[in-house]
Amino acid sequence: MTDYLSRLNPEQREAVETVDGPVLVLAGAGTGKTRVLTSRFAHILLTKRAFPNQVLAVTFTNKAAREMRERVAAILGHPAEGLWLGTFHALCARMLRRHAELVGLTSNFNILDTDDQLRLLKQVMEAARLDLKRFPPPALMAIIQRWKDRAITPDKITVAEDSDFANGQARTLYAAYQERLKTLNTVDFGDLLLHMTEILRTHPDVLAQYHRAFRYILVDEYQDTNLVQYLWLRLLAQGHKNICCVGDDDQSIYSWRGAEVENILRFEKDFPGAVLVKLEANYRSTAPILAAAAGLIAHNSGRHDKTLRSGKNDASGEKVQVIGLWDSDEEARMVGDRMENLRRDGHKLSEMAVLVRAGFQTRAFEERLITLGLPYRVVGGLRFYERAEIRDAIAYCRVLNQPADDLAFERIVNLPRRGVGEQALRAMHERSREAQIPLTAAAATLVAESGLRGKVRAEVGNLLDQFGQWRAALDRDGHVETVARMLDESGYTGMWKADKSPEAPGRLDNLKEMVRALVDYESLGAFLDHVSLVMDNEENADADKVNLMTMHGAKGLEFDTVFLPGWEDGLFPSQRSMDESGGKGLEEERRLAYVGLTRARKRSIISHAANRRIYANWQSNVPSRFIGELPETEIEVGGSQATKRPPSFTTAFPLVARSTYVAQPRVVASWEQPARAVATKKYAQGARVFHDKFGYGTVTSVEDDKLNIAFDKAGTKRVIDRFVTEAAQ
DNA sequence: AGTGGGACGCTTTTT
DNA sequence: GCGTCCCACT
């Protein structure tokens, strides 16, 4: 029973056994953060300090929550019941259902997804007669979200603090948006935290109730918390002060969505008497990888000082490779070739990953892997519940659950087609506004008073009747059967059955899958909560496939071999990030590089290309300044355009705008970039070339930009020169 | 009301 | 280079 303690090193053990009072665990990459968190949880339960329902454990992602639940159960030897373990949002939703009336909602409120948030805001802006071209709704959405991240309600924004969006109207629009949300009995993601924090702050009785309930609080990934999350935690922790936050300031990569590293840097001030435990023994990566990562991150300022040391007692290991290539195609070929070689040597594909800065970069690798016939998976694509048919079906469920959900009703009122066009919809909206009633109720009165045209009236009337019947059936027959019936009787599944497009059968399958998933929930409401808060990709991670993902997406994962392509200034570090957030942006990019590098257990291969096709055109690039920041002793340079060690940009050109340093050609020259300009790239007769579809071949003749090529496998073709590249050798 | 084509614009992501 | 979004046409 206590062997969970014996498996810990001394510092981990301290983090687990310092149970009372505030504790900050600074857990560097690969130092056993999850193990500490789960052991601590189990330790609290096993030493009888608290019952399972007296511990509040908070994570950011559902995946992390699930993992913690499983691992706690493994230590206990049985699944723990009644845990308050989940994401910030899921826990807040659970609390808010109990106190909804305090913020003018009822406990069956719906949670809007991002799409609905935007549509609602658009409506609010249209009502304010704003030109949506000049003032894009997504921009305002972002402003409002940042306010919510900082726990700022509309009444707290002074004129001076108002953003200059639409001549200082942002505050008013925000207030109007919040009003609309309340009328629709809905909340957006930000509201879950905002409302709960507001409630805890203004209702001491409610706060006291939670102080009694939670004796211990555990927080994962503390460096990613935003202000409102911090306030929520601080309020809850005031009771027993037993709060333990685990995180790593060096892995803070989400400031752009409101996370504030300052929270973790300030912990000891926020929680006086806090014990600080540093986990520095890394059990994941080889010594060179750790040393390279340490050298890199040392270029950041204002961090908690900590040094990762290898916990494995072996100084061996491959150096970090830095490969310079002519263009992005050659880069993709290099990665593919190396993967093939590794596989030939018995390495599993699932132990290899390509980590990119931005999603679009995966494409080049996908294409290459297809030609090579290497199976791959792209992590972080479209999720199940983001598919159109699932969102439609969910909209039906939302109306069933909560008739005041206008956004959901609007989505399905004409799906399948019921002849409800712009005019009919406008009439409903007008009535809804005049009578201050939800859209469904407005539609009902219009039907009753013949306020709609014949066919539309009959169809809408029928739909409303049906909703009445389904709602009655909900209690009688249960939610699974009722939803299945609703999707059939409404004509929604029929619509896809009649659809002749190739995707239609797949969509029908997805709908069946969704109905099947309903069985796992005790009620429709529980299912809807799950869908909006918890549902995520449940891909089979077992299949032996190469992983393609962003560095953000790779946080928390590890692989034997990690490819880090596209380390070029402007791409990584991203120009936009530096333009928008200056020095802070660059530091965050550097932390991202640190995260990427430390995903590797055995080897990491960084690469950069002199020329890259971004969207339609080619762009010349210079190796990333981060390459210059890697300690020379830990890296090995190679590739057709092997980097001569570049000057460290941070010291040579501290944070200058791109235009400034590009204007200094000597920088490029000193790096011995190839003299060839992209524009003059031409092929001579006899040149060996490579084509994405046709493979390798020899140029037989040249006419302007058209080449006749005898391909080794695909015969002779006439091809425009930009479709081929010079063969690698 | 429904569809087709042109204009646009394009980090990162969770909930 | 591609997907989407909106508007204009039928």
Side-chain angles (χ1 to χ4, degrees), chain A residues 84-118:
Chain A
W84 280 83
L85 188 165
T87 62
F88 278 100
H89 298 268
L91 293 166
C92 280
R94 189 167 155 193
M95 291 180 180
L96 191 56
R97 298 244 177 248
R98 299 172 159 187
H99 315 290
E101 73 289 349
L102 297 179
V103 286
L105 299 166
T106 63
S107 69
N108 65 336
F109 62 80
N110 280 341
I111 300 166
L112 296 190
D113 62 28
T114 322
D115 269 33
D116 286 329
Q117 287 173 38
L118 200 59

Side-chain angles (χ1 to χ4, degrees), chain A residues 9-29:
Chain A
N9 69 25
E11 52 201 35
Q12 290 174 332
R13 193 158 172 161
E14 189 194 352
V16 169
E17 292 187 314
T18 313
V19 188
D20 296 308
V23 179
L24 175 64
V25 180
L26 283 174

Side-chain angles (χ1 to χ4, degrees), chain A residues 459-528:
Chain A
E459 290 263 21
V460 173
N462 183 40
L463 180 68
L464 292 171
D465 286 347
Q466 284 182 311
F467 266 112
Q469 287 165 26
W470 297 324
R471 216 161 280 133
L474 206 50
D475 290 331
R476 195 181 58 233
D477 307 332
H479 61 289
V480 185
E481 199 179 308
T482 307
V483 169
R485 227 183 92 190
M486 173 172 70
L487 295 178
D488 277 340
E489 290 179 359
S490 62
Y492 186 72
T493 40
M495 180 183 96
W496 288 117
K497 279 179 189 151
D499 193 309
K500 294 282 176 292
S501 66
E503 306 93 69
R507 295 185 191 267
L508 283 165
D509 282 347
N510 288 337
L511 288 170
K512 275 196 200 123
E513 180 62 41
M514 194 199 88
V515 174
R516 229 187 335 250
L518 279 167
V519 182
D520 299 333
Y521 303 90
E522 56 186 18
S523 70
L524 187 61
F527 169 73
L528 287 173

Side-chain angles (χ1 to χ4, degrees), chain A residues 658-696:
Chain A
R658 182 180 185 79
S659 53
T660 319
Y661 64 78
V662 165
Q664 308 183 17
R666 60 173 189 81
V667 175
V668 175
S670 75
W671 293 29
E672 302 193 8
Q673 282 297 309
R676 296 188 274 185
V678 188
T680 61
K681 197 175 165 190
K682 282 272 157 59
Y683 302 92
Q685 198 176 333
R688 286 290 289 168
V689 295
F690 177 82
H691 185 280
D692 269 1
K693 272 208 192 69
F694 307 133
Y696 290 93

Side-chain angles (χ1 to χ4, degrees), chain A residues 50-88:
Chain A
F51 292 112
N53 62 354
Q54 293 176 317
V55 181
L56 179 73
V58 197
T59 64
F60 268 87
T61 64
N62 296 299
K63 198 174 158 216
R66 207 182 313 129
E67 212 173 283
M68 202 191 297
R69 191 178 293 272
E70 282 162 11
R71 291 177 66 165
V72 169
I75 297 177
L76 297 178
H78 58 86
E81 300 285 328
L83 297 186
W84 280 83
L85 188 165
T87 62
F88 278 100

Side-chain angles (χ1 to χ4, degrees), chain A residues 358-474:
Chain A
F360 72 87
Q361 292 173 259
T362 58
R363 199 138 161 183
F365 297 97
E366 283 187 70
E367 283 167 14
R368 190 63 203 150
L369 291 169
I370 289 171
T371 26
L372 292 175
L374 287 175
Y376 67 89
R377 96 184 105 234
V378 180
V379 180
L382 244 204
R383 271 164 293 190
F384 185 69
Y385 70 90
E386 282 168 350
R387 291 160 212 256
E389 66 277 16
I390 299 302
R391 301 197 58 230
D392 293 340
I394 287 167
Y396 268 100
C397 293
R398 272 164 52 184
V399 176
L400 187 63
N401 183 55
Q402 215 257 96
D405 193 335
D406 289 3
L407 289 158
F409 182 67
E410 222 181 307
R411 185 179 177 105
I412 52 94
V413 68
N414 203 31
L415 257 182
R417 303 253 123 92
R418 297 188 177 93
V420 182
E422 204 188 318
Q423 300 223 331
L425 212 53
R426 199 184 307 144
M428 291 183 210
H429 270 298
E430 251 165 50
R431 176 59 59 90
S432 157
R433 216 172 315 123
E434 283 164 14
Q436 306 261 19
I437 50 174
L439 222 44
T440 40
T445 61
L446 286 175
V447 169
E449 299 162 13
S450 314
L452 293 169
R453 280 191 296 125
K455 180 177 177 282
V456 183
R457 182 185 170 203
E459 290 263 21
V460 173
N462 183 40
L463 180 68
L464 292 171
D465 286 347
Q466 284 182 311
F467 266 112
Q469 287 165 26
W470 297 324
R471 216 161 280 133
L474 206 50

